[in-house]
Amino acid sequence: MNLMAGRDSKSFFRYFPVSKRDREWGCYALTAGVARIPPGVPYPPPGHPRGYAFRWETGRALREYALVYIAEGRGHFECDGRRRCAVEAGSVLLLLPGVRHRYRPLPETGWIEYWVGFDGSFVRELMQRRFFPPQRPVLKLRDEPAVASLFQTMVTV
C-alpha cells in the first residue's frame, strides 16, 4: 500500500499542551505525526522538542505511551536491552513510559512512520490489565487499511 501516493511528501508532527481538564478524561494525546524518510536520508529527522528527540547511539525513554505505525519500508527496533528485531510495513511499535528504546529504517529502504503519544489514568489502568503485553512490543496488524486510515486522519485533521 503506497501511503505517499497523491500526498505531500513532507513530514509533519505536533506536540499538544495538556490541560487539567484533559487529564481528568483519563486519556489524552500528547503528540501525533508522520515522518517520511526516503532511502539514504539520516534518521531521526531533526526538529523534535527535548524529551522526544533521540540518537540511535543512546536511544530514549519517554514519559508517556506511544504507538508507532510503520506504513512502508523496513528497519530495526530495540527496547530495554532486548535483542534487536526486524520491523516491516504493517508493524506497530508499542513504546512504554520509562523504557529505553530506539528504532530506525534501513538506509536502503527508508520508511514511513506514523505515531501518536498518549497517556492518562485510564490508559495506565488498561495497560496494567496486560491487554498489550509489554514483552511483545512489536505487533503485526491484522486490519492494516483501517489502522492506516486512522493514523492518516490524525495527522491531516
Side-chain angles (χ1 to χ4, degrees):
M1 170 179 2
N2 184 351
L3 298 177
M4 288 178 61
R7 302 191 65 76
D8 183 355
S9 63
K10 296 181 182 175
S11 297
F12 170 85
F13 52 85
R14 223 180 236 142
Y15 293 86
F16 308 110
V18 178
S19 71
K20 181 180 176 188
R21 185 161 189 219
D22 294 333
R23 292 183 192 285
E24 289 172 356
W25 278 98
C27 180
Y28 49 87
L30 294 154
T31 179
V34 58
R36 295 174 174 92
I37 311 299
V41 171
Y43 184 87
H48 295 278
R50 186 179 168 121
Y52 292 94
F54 75 97
R55 295 177 330 156
W56 176 258
E57 297 77 20
T58 57
R60 70 169 175 204
L62 298 172
R63 294 185 341 190
E64 68 270 2
Y65 295 91
L67 292 174
V68 180
Y69 166 55
I70 307 303
E72 288 186 17
R74 295 188 323 270
H76 294 115
F77 173 72
E78 294 178 12
C79 74
D80 208 17
R82 294 188 180 128
R83 76 178 174 88
R84 183 180 302 180
C85 64
V87 175
E88 61 185 22
S91 297
V92 173
L93 312 177
L94 172 60
L95 309 179
L96 302 173
V99 175
R100 186 154 295 283
H101 61 269
R102 61 188 187 169
Y103 52 90
R104 66 179 174 191
L106 295 176
E108 61 269 20
T109 64
W111 71 16
I112 298 174
E113 69 179 49
Y114 289 83
W115 74 87
V116 61
F118 56 98
D119 207 348
S121 57
F122 180 69
V123 171
R124 290 184 182 254
E125 182 181 325
L126 284 177
M127 295 309 250
Q128 286 178 352
R129 294 181 187 186
R130 305 280 187 198
F131 287 114
F132 302 98
Q135 66 273 18
R136 289 189 49 223
V138 179
L139 310 168
K140 186 68 174 156
L141 295 179
R142 291 185 187 170
D143 191 1
E144 190 177 348
V147 173
S149 177
L150 287 171
F151 274 96
Q152 287 176 342
T153 298
M154 278 192 292
V155 297
T156 58
V157 172

